[in-house]
Amino acid sequence: MKKLLLLTLLILTAAFVFGCSNGDKPSDVTTAGDTGEVTTAEGTTGEIISDKEANMSKNDRDKAASMRNLNATKFSNKDFGSDIRLRLFKSSWNEPSVTPTANQHPRVLVGANSVDELKAKFESLKGTAIYDEFISLSSKVNVTDACDGDLLSWEDMQRIEAMALRYVLTDNTMYAQRAIYAIKNTILRINADADFDPYRTYGLTMYVAALVYDWCYDELTENDKIQIVHGVLNNLASKMEIGCPPSKGNVISHHTMECQLQKNYLAFAIAVYDEHPEIYDYVAGRIFDELVPAQNFMIQSGAFWEGSCYGPFRVSNLLWAQILMSKMTDGKCELYNSDDLHSVVASFPYYMLFDSKEAFFQIGDQTTANDSRDYYTAAFLGAALFDDPNFYTLAARNLIKEDGALKDHEDYVWITPTTFMALYNPTTAKSSTSFHDGYNLVNILQYPKSAVFARSKWNNTDGFFATYMTMNEFYSSSHSHMDAGSFEIYYKGLLASESGAYDGYGSTHHFGYTYQTVSTNSILVYNPTMASRTVDGRLRYSGGQSVSFESRRICPANLTEAKNASVNWGATIFGKKADSTADSYHFSYLAGDMTGHYDTSTVDSVVRHMLSVATGNADNPLVFLTYDKIDAKNASYKKTVLLHSHTLPKVSGNYVTIDNGKGKLIAQTLLTKTTATVLAPEPNSTPEAVTKLSAKSAYKVGINYINPSSLSGVRGIDYRVDFCPVKESKSDHILNVMYVTDSSNTAKPVQAKEIKTSDFEGMTIFNVTAVFAKNTNAFDGTASFTAGGSDVFVCGLKAGSWKVTVGGNTTTVTVNEGDGMLNIKGTGSVTVSYAG
């Protein structure tokens, strides 16, 4: 109830902030002696000042004159360096098809034709906490100390940005002159070389410089223009990872394709286009030629691909680029496919589990288990771009504090009071009531990163469960993992999760364990002849989808290279289907051939089916199955079906139990007899320490990195269960049957009943019967079996018409292309027959 009340309060608060309406125009304000005390400017009429200094107060006119003189005398052109960097912008890209309108300002984030609308919006926010914070930021800056000389001062940068927008809103030249001085001073003084990620720091300064250049354009002297341009290129852009000009890095998965190119360079190129079209031609040329086709290819899946922690930040920069180009052209330019980009933002709630810590599925590199900030900031950008009320509500969950002010905007996504003022849409926000209105409980992602998210309901109340399964066709490197065929299960907390921690990109732990298939809930096939395989002593062979280390460690540079990089492609989907609505969930299914993700000298075939079914039984609400067909080149190559958790699993007979204190997962394997070995971190491990697998497991993989206890602050201590066949065989079929129940349920584990025929094999547990085609992924014959449960799933079927007989009654059903399965109601004798 407390959670519901808090959510309601946040939404109502957001509605109040977003929905205020007032017909008056904003009056100008200034400060008395820079003390920070906000007072109404002398001589103002309450109307927008349009005649600039003629209608300004004497106090502000004097300050503007003083600042103008300081801007002209304090700096010399030589302080900012020569034009040598500028001369490097000789573009080899095609000429951009869209360019800024010459001599029309503003055009960065605020369109020249939308200034009046912005002024009205500014006034509509009057009296809100965000309005007050904007006024305070633009009023109190001490421009002589706009940068601390070492690292970026978040508040000072927000003040510079706010002063520049204040000028757009009021025409009060004092704010323009202050902003011009402050940004020039910052460009000269900032030194972020010792920062953990200096590229983003220098880039954000570049972005704010673009705003000042564009928004205060008619107050810039020729020397101001020269100083800002040369200073940005020599002191900021030259220190960025992407280079100056921005030629480095790849455009699918890399630092360079996020804020450096899509926000910072692009904003600057738009701002200085009149004086330096060559900068825009280079920046926009690369974006149109390389970035747009690559990103459109990736976002067609309907979700991001950099993991649940890094993905939202990378997506936010796609949104920034889309917004900047849209604002520059009055909505006429669409960089990325709008429908696909909208779907990507709409996928955010499916990653999120909305428990007390705002947890989400742990996909890819994780800095912490519960850092959801980037979801909300990116959702705000999506709301602004698509006028989607769901996105506003999602953003308001964490972006707006209870007092109506913005929360924690010291972030490179940069949702500051000024950004909010510029992008907020009061009409759409006012209609915002839900973050999932109209959303299905299942989200099916498509090629080239196929996956399925499913949940039993949208609120995290009793009985809530959620599952995630992936079968990505394309491995994109960077912060994503080699995890085709992996899954996660949530019930009153994560039960089946990934393991390992992100303690730094490329660390021994990261590359040696977290990055690898061995840290996921997928499959290993271990070839001992490759045991010594490493790269830099960090990327270690463990039998997973990590064989082609040299070529898979870094994503291909562009779309052409990606399509030609055979080692980055490895899965073929032959089954994907779900039955759900916005209010009810029945099942979801994903199946594929993952052979291409493994080394060809080790395996002949690796196939996995995954099936998630709601039982309708409150005591055991979810059944989750993995059915694996693994064919190794050699019978001695050890096969392992992986299962990870954040709590210590317990093995008893054929059952493995994972208990998170509220809910528990019970797993058992059928068809092939296996042993279950639990691996745990050694006591007092250091980040570089290793844990060797237990000798009794007979699984000699060399070194594996289990998340050591010293990294527990990153994501917690992790555990792993290895299910391995008892007998050596070239071919094994392993069915892992899992179900969830409450921790308080003391009943004995329920044994699933095997089903085996000449063509199918599977099981029955509770009311669920599921069988899978044994020798093909597209069965097209006739088969019979006995169903012990009334909810029957027949998987691995060819698309077409099927005759289904249950209890003597025959019907004809259709398996659509790509479904790979059918669902039948009834018990007893079942016959399925392909009818073409």
Side-chain angles (χ1 to χ4, degrees):
M1 179 61 72
K2 289 181 179 179
K3 296 175 185 174
L4 179 59
L5 289 173
L6 178 59
L7 174 59
T8 303
L9 178 59
L10 284 171
I11 293 174
L12 289 175
T13 301
F16 170 76
V17 173
F18 294 173
C20 293
S21 181
N22 186 311
D24 298 332
K25 295 180 180 179
S27 59
D28 190 27
V29 294
T30 187
T31 59
D34 285 327
T35 63
E37 179 183 355
V38 179
T39 60
T40 302
E42 299 174 17
T44 61
T45 63
E47 298 296 315
I48 294 295
I49 297 173
S50 58
D51 196 18
K52 297 187 180 179
E53 296 190 14
N55 289 324
M56 288 167 54
S57 69
K58 183 179 184 305
N59 185 31
D60 286 0
R61 287 199 304 273
D62 290 344
K63 289 181 179 180
S66 175
M67 289 305 308
R68 188 175 290 109
N69 180 65
L70 192 60
N71 268 318
T73 59
K74 178 66 180 275
F75 308 103
S76 69
N77 289 355
K78 68 179 182 179
D79 294 334
F80 296 86
S82 70
D83 67 349
I84 188 170
R85 297 277 176 188
L86 188 60
R87 285 183 269 138
L88 297 176
F89 281 82
K90 297 178 180 178
S91 177
S92 60
W93 314 109
N94 291 315
E95 185 176 341
S97 57
V98 178
T99 60
T101 300
N103 302 312
Q104 187 180 74
H105 297 271
R107 59 192 180 207
V108 179
L109 196 62
V110 176
N113 297 326
S114 63
V115 172
D116 288 342
E117 178 184 336
L118 177 64
K119 292 176 179 179
K121 181 166 57 178
F122 176 90
E123 182 63 16
S124 76
L125 287 167
K126 201 169 186 177
T128 67
I130 293 175
Y131 176 98
D132 291 342
E133 188 173 10
F134 171 80
I135 294 299
S136 177
L137 283 168
S138 60
S139 301
K140 296 193 298 184
V141 69
N142 182 351
V143 295
T144 59
D145 296 312
C147 174
D148 63 14
D150 293 316
L151 295 177
L152 179 76
S153 169
W154 293 98
E155 184 172 344
D156 282 346
M157 294 302 290
Q158 291 179 61
R159 288 172 173 175
I160 298 170
E161 176 193 43
M163 286 188 295
L165 185 63
R166 187 78 170 273
Y167 172 64
V168 173
L169 292 165
T170 66
D171 286 336
N172 187 324
T173 58
M174 176 188 70
Y175 297 112
Q177 291 299 325
R178 281 180 166 180
I180 294 166
Y181 180 94
I183 196 60
K184 291 197 294 185
N185 193 41
T186 300
I187 290 170
L188 291 180
R189 298 181 62 184
I190 192 168
N191 181 0
D193 290 352
D195 196 356
F196 174 74
D197 193 345
Y199 320 117
R200 291 176 181 165
T201 300
Y202 288 127
L204 182 54
T205 310
M206 183 181 191
Y207 169 74
V208 174
L211 298 183
V212 173
Y213 194 102
D214 178 58
W215 292 353
C216 305
Y217 184 81
D218 55 2
E219 281 295 302
L220 295 175
T221 65
E222 289 306 308
N223 281 337
D224 289 334
K225 295 174 184 177
I226 291 171
Q227 291 166 11
I228 292 175
V229 170
H230 291 182
V232 164
L233 297 181
N234 292 324
N235 295 1
L236 304 177
S238 64
K239 299 177 181 180
M240 288 168 65
E241 182 183 26
I242 196 171
C244 181
S247 60
K248 300 177 182 179
N250 73 54
V251 294
I252 293 179
S253 297
H254 199 266
H255 265 177
T256 55
M257 60 72 56
E258 50 178 44
C259 51
Q260 292 184 57
L261 183 61
Q262 295 185 97
K263 178 183 178 185
N264 307 324
Y265 256 113
L266 179 58
F268 185 71
I270 294 170
V272 304
Y273 176 75
D274 292 327
E275 289 72 37
H276 302 289
E278 67 274 25
I279 296 179
Y280 179 87
D281 288 346
Y282 193 104
V283 172
R286 186 179 186 197
I287 289 174
F288 278 108
D289 279 11
E290 279 200 332
L291 196 63
V292 168
Q295 295 301 307
N296 274 339
F297 176 77
M298 296 301 292
I299 65 175
Q300 68 181 310
S301 70
F304 49 86
W305 54 97
E306 291 274 7
S308 50
C309 182
Y310 278 85
F313 180 71
R314 296 271 164 103
V315 170
S316 72
N317 289 286
L318 295 178
L319 296 166
W320 267 112
Q322 191 89 330
I323 288 170
L324 288 170
M325 292 299 287
S326 177
K327 295 294 184 180
M328 183 191 85
T329 61
D330 289 327
K332 297 181 179 66
C333 176
E334 177 184 285
L335 275 181
Y336 306 118
N337 183 289
S338 184
D339 289 341
D340 289 342
L341 192 55
H342 187 275
S343 295
V344 170
V345 182
S347 74
F348 287 0
Y350 294 95
Y351 288 78
M352 307 179 77
L353 297 167
F354 302 112
D355 66 10
S356 60
K357 294 182 179 180
E358 298 287 17
F360 43 83
F361 283 117
Q362 296 177 355
I363 304 166
D365 290 341
Q366 297 284 323
T367 53
T368 67
N370 304 300
D371 185 1
S372 54
R373 173 183 56 191
D374 286 343
Y375 285 89
Y376 301 111
T377 51
F380 175 77
L381 295 175
L385 183 60
F386 299 113
D387 292 334
D388 190 317
N390 284 354
F391 298 169
Y392 274 110
T393 304
L394 182 61
R397 288 179 63 92
N398 201 47
L399 193 60
I400 308 295
K401 294 190 290 188
E402 291 186 18
D403 64 0
L406 286 176
K407 182 192 295 185
D408 185 19
H409 35 275
E410 293 188 0
D411 180 85
Y412 291 105
V413 178
W414 203 242
I415 308 301
T416 63
T418 298
T419 306
F420 184 92
M421 300 280 287
L423 295 180
Y424 149 71
N425 184 325
T427 302
T428 305
K430 193 171 183 179
S431 64
S432 173
T433 59
S434 167
F435 65 86
H436 56 79
D437 186 37
Y439 287 4
N440 197 298
L441 289 170
V442 172
N443 187 24
I444 299 179
L445 308 185
Q446 307 298 337
Y447 170 94
K449 301 289 283 188
S450 290
V452 178
F453 289 90
R455 57 202 306 122
S456 59
K457 58 184 74 173
W458 280 109
N459 55 356
N460 189 356
T461 57
D462 285 346
F464 167 76
F465 62 78
T467 63
Y468 161 75
M469 38 197 176
T470 180
M471 191 64 68
N472 55 79
E473 296 92 337
F474 176 70
Y475 172 63
S476 54
S477 188
S478 191
H479 293 292
S480 61
H481 292 170
M482 302 171 187
D483 60 355
S486 188
F487 63 89
E488 295 187 35
I489 300 172
Y490 179 98
Y491 179 68
K492 300 186 176 183
L494 274 172
L495 290 167
S497 63
E498 282 198 3
S499 70
Y502 179 61
D503 61 333
Y505 194 86
S507 73
T508 305
H509 179 79
H510 178 232
F511 271 6
Y513 186 80
T514 309
Y515 208 54
Q516 306 290 338
T517 310
V518 70
S519 73
T520 74
N521 293 321
S522 189
I523 299 168
L524 305 179
V525 182
Y526 181 72
N527 180 346
T529 66
M530 303 182 71
S532 62
R533 192 82 178 270
T534 66
V535 172
D536 299 332
R538 295 174 296 167
L539 282 168
R540 291 184 175 273
Y541 175 75
S542 56
Q545 302 159 20
S546 54
V547 175
S548 302
F549 293 125
E550 295 86 348
S551 54
R552 297 186 79 177
R553 181 169 49 159
I554 298 174
C555 189
N558 53 53
L559 183 58
T560 300
E561 289 188 18
K563 288 183 174 181
N564 293 330
S566 60
V567 296
N568 288 80
W569 297 89
T572 302
I573 309 300
F574 57 79
K576 190 188 303 184
K577 184 175 174 61
D579 179 22
S580 64
T581 66
D583 303 310
S584 65
Y585 171 72
H586 181 199
F587 73 83
S588 53
Y589 169 70
L590 179 62
D593 185 332
M594 307 187 296
T595 308
H597 280 307
Y598 293 81
D599 177 48
T600 55
S601 67
T602 302
V603 303
D604 286 322
S605 177
V606 181
V607 170
R608 168 164 277 192
H609 299 249
M610 293 176 279
L611 178 64
S612 166
V613 183
T615 65
N617 180 343
D619 292 333
N620 311 108
L622 171 70
V623 168
F624 191 93
L625 309 175
T626 60
Y627 172 67
D628 302 320
K629 298 185 291 184
I630 311 168
D631 295 315
K633 291 284 188 181
N634 189 303
S636 67
Y637 293 172
K638 192 73 173 182
K639 308 178 189 73
T640 303
V641 174
L642 298 163
L643 180 63
H644 295 82
S645 66
H646 295 322
T647 54
L648 181 64
K650 295 180 180 179
V651 180
S652 178
N654 189 43
Y655 304 105
V656 173
T657 301
I658 297 170
D659 193 330
N660 62 27
K662 295 181 180 180
K664 60 185 177 182
L665 176 75
I666 298 172
Q668 58 190 287
T669 58
L670 304 179
L671 306 180
T672 296
K673 185 174 178 57
T674 65
T675 58
T677 303
V678 176
L679 290 93
E682 291 180 346
N684 304 315
S685 296
T686 65
E688 303 303 323
V690 301
T691 299
K692 290 190 177 181
L693 294 178
S694 169
K696 68 180 182 180
S697 70
Y699 181 27
K700 306 294 185 181
V701 301
I703 298 174
N704 279 264
Y705 298 86
I706 312 299
N707 190 8
S709 58
S710 62
L711 291 176
S712 61
V714 178
R715 198 171 73 178
I717 297 173
D718 293 323
Y719 304 89
R720 187 170 99 229
V721 181
D722 287 353
F723 295 99
C724 300
V726 173
K727 295 181 179 180
E728 290 185 348
S729 173
K730 288 186 68 175
S731 179
D732 282 298
H733 292 188
I734 303 172
L735 178 59
N736 196 351
V737 182
M738 293 162 274
Y739 67 90
V740 302
T741 189
D742 290 347
S743 295
S744 59
N745 187 347
T746 59
K748 292 182 179 180
V750 177
Q751 175 67 48
K753 298 178 181 179
E754 282 188 350
I755 298 173
K756 287 188 175 182
T757 74
S758 59
D759 297 302
F760 284 85
E761 52 194 2
M763 61 92 243
T764 293
I765 190 169
F766 308 124
N767 66 324
V768 178
T769 292
V771 295
F772 304 87
K774 289 170 57 176
N775 302 314
T776 179
N777 300 328
F779 180 77
D780 60 356
T782 298
S784 298
F785 58 90
T786 299
S790 59
D791 201 6
V792 183
F793 300 87
V794 187
C795 306
L797 300 182
K798 184 177 180 179
S801 179
W802 285 82
K803 289 185 178 180
V804 177
T805 302
V806 182
N809 297 318
T810 301
T811 58
T812 300
V813 297
T814 299
V815 174
N816 295 318
E817 193 68 43
D819 287 356
M821 59 92 75
L822 59 82
N823 177 228
I824 304 166
K825 299 299 182 184
T827 59
S829 177
V830 176
T831 299
V832 294
S833 181
Y834 187 64

